[in-house]
Amino acid sequence: MLNRQQYGALIEQRLREELPRLREEFPQHVVQSCYIDNLLPEAEAREINAAFPAKETMMLRKSLRENKYVAAQMNKYTPILEEIIFAFQEPGVVKVVEEITGIQDMIPDTNLYAGGISLMAKDNFLNPHLDNSHDKDRQAYRVLNLLYYVTPDWTHENGGNLELWDEGPKHPQREITSAFNRLALMATHEKSWHSVSKVNVDRSRCCVSNYYFSEKPLEDHEYFHVTSFRGRPEQPVRDMVLQGDVALRQGIRKIFKGGVAKTTHMYVKDESEQTDRPDGK
């Protein structure tokens, strides 16, 4: 098993190999994005996938908004998963990602606030949404999502693909297939509507995810929003319900800066510490 520094060196090297292409592609859409295949040697990527836990050991998030399994308390799982997650936070990786995206002074999230690992099984989905604009303490802006897909032989027809809604959730989306050993980079801001299509097969689509934050927003003005879900174009009733849900939670956050819920989706390094962080979801 490689450690995070070794994984990080491989990731940095691979990104630098295609840096000119990635840097050119990233700003071409409203939801700025790009992806790279064959991020790690195949054997390493397969080892990471094999280490994923059974979905029953993960937290199920199931509602009108989403249906997926997530985990962030990484010391409960095979060590390789923690190593690959934090490999994306190695200084060399952050530096080359800054060169690709043009976003400077990014801060990796050591708390894995809404990061970590995710698993999507048959019929799981993630509706169009904007990620929470800030970190758990509402001190920094969420500016970049890094998604590393590790399920071998995953095809577009399997579903579970990243959807990017450049013109908003009422207009057609473009897709990035969740292909094996592929890393996708996606900017997060006020217009970064994205989703994951429903998984169509009886398999698990596994993903390692990280967020980077910044003291400055990607937009030219300050803003704040909770995680904001919408219905798909063919879901008008769900869309109305979810818009009402967003308005309610946004209103609560204006009154109570930390909200009233407590998040369990973060890495508590000292498990004796109480999980009493305000949930931005």
Side-chain angles (χ1 to χ4, degrees):
M1 181 189 81
L2 301 183
N3 61 34
R4 64 192 67 184
Q5 291 81 18
Q6 292 168 318
Y7 280 129
L10 290 171
I11 293 167
E12 180 185 1
Q13 178 183 354
R14 182 72 185 105
L15 290 173
R16 289 200 176 280
E17 289 173 355
E18 296 200 33
L19 193 153
R21 175 187 66 81
L22 296 169
R23 186 161 48 196
E24 180 181 356
E25 291 181 3
F26 184 77
Q28 290 182 0
H29 299 277
V30 173
V31 186
Q32 299 97 318
S33 61
C34 60
Y35 64 85
I36 185 170
D37 289 323
N38 304 312
L39 183 71
L40 293 176
E42 181 175 344
E44 306 298 339
R46 287 183 177 273
E47 185 178 18
I48 292 165
N49 179 74
F52 260 70
K55 61 180 183 291
E56 291 78 13
T57 68
M58 302 172 70
M59 178 172 63
L60 174 62
R61 300 179 71 102
K62 186 175 183 180
S63 67
L64 289 177
R65 310 170 190 165
E66 60 187 335
N67 186 357
K68 66 174 184 177
Y69 297 86
V70 299
Q73 191 64 43
M74 299 316 303
N75 57 4
K76 293 184 177 180
Y77 302 101
T78 306
I80 189 175
L81 294 175
E82 179 165 349
E83 294 306 303
I84 185 58
I85 288 169
F86 285 99
F88 289 98
Q89 303 190 15
E90 284 293 297
V93 176
V94 177
K95 175 62 176 175
V96 70
V97 171
E98 288 179 341
E99 293 177 38
I100 290 168
T101 62
I103 307 170
Q104 300 303 308
D105 301 319
M106 289 193 288
I107 307 164
D109 181 22
T110 58
N111 295 293
L112 302 183
Y113 175 53
I117 59 174
S118 66
L119 182 153
M120 298 185 75
K122 191 174 189 303
D123 296 327
N124 284 181
F125 65 90
L126 187 59
N127 256 54
H129 66 287
L130 297 175
D131 288 328
N132 183 333
S133 60
H134 284 69
D135 66 358
K136 64 181 179 63
D137 296 319
R138 201 167 158 182
Q139 299 297 312
Y141 288 88
R142 190 189 306 263
V143 293
L144 192 73
N145 193 355
L146 301 89
L147 299 163
Y148 178 44
Y149 303 109
V150 295
T151 305
D153 306 313
W154 194 266
T155 66
H156 182 268
E157 292 71 25
N158 289 349
N161 300 308
L162 177 63
E163 301 175 309
L164 303 170
W165 304 74
D166 294 300
E167 299 179 57
K170 289 186 175 296
H171 298 273
Q173 74 276 29
R174 59 188 170 93
E175 288 186 282
I176 296 177
T177 300
S178 303
F180 172 63
N181 207 7
R182 171 175 287 178
L183 172 67
L185 305 179
M186 183 197 77
T188 60
H189 48 69
E190 288 182 301
K191 302 181 183 67
S192 294
W193 290 98
H194 61 288
S195 58
V196 178
S197 61
K198 185 175 72 173
V199 175
N200 301 316
V201 294
D202 191 16
R203 296 181 61 199
S204 296
R205 191 223 67 170
C206 300
C207 180
V208 174
S209 62
N210 271 271
Y211 288 102
Y212 291 171
F213 293 85
S214 173
E215 294 181 357
K216 298 179 181 179
L218 291 186
E219 306 284 359
D220 59 2
H221 58 275
E222 294 186 353
Y223 56 86
F224 169 76
H225 56 78
V226 297
T227 304
S228 306
F229 282 87
R230 294 286 301 273
R232 302 176 70 89
E234 67 274 16
Q235 299 173 328
V237 175
R238 182 177 299 197
D239 188 48
M240 288 190 293
V241 172
L242 291 177
Q243 287 191 65
D245 171 69
V246 171
L248 176 61
R249 289 185 293 111
Q250 186 84 0
I252 290 173
R253 286 299 299 273
K254 287 182 178 179
I255 299 172
F256 305 100
K257 182 177 179 180
V260 295
K262 297 179 180 179
T263 184
T264 56
H265 192 168
M266 58 178 288
Y267 193 173
V268 181
K269 298 298 180 66
D270 179 0
E271 292 190 64
S272 65
E273 176 186 342
Q274 295 298 312
T275 306
D276 59 355
R277 304 296 188 182
D279 189 0
K281 291 293 185 184

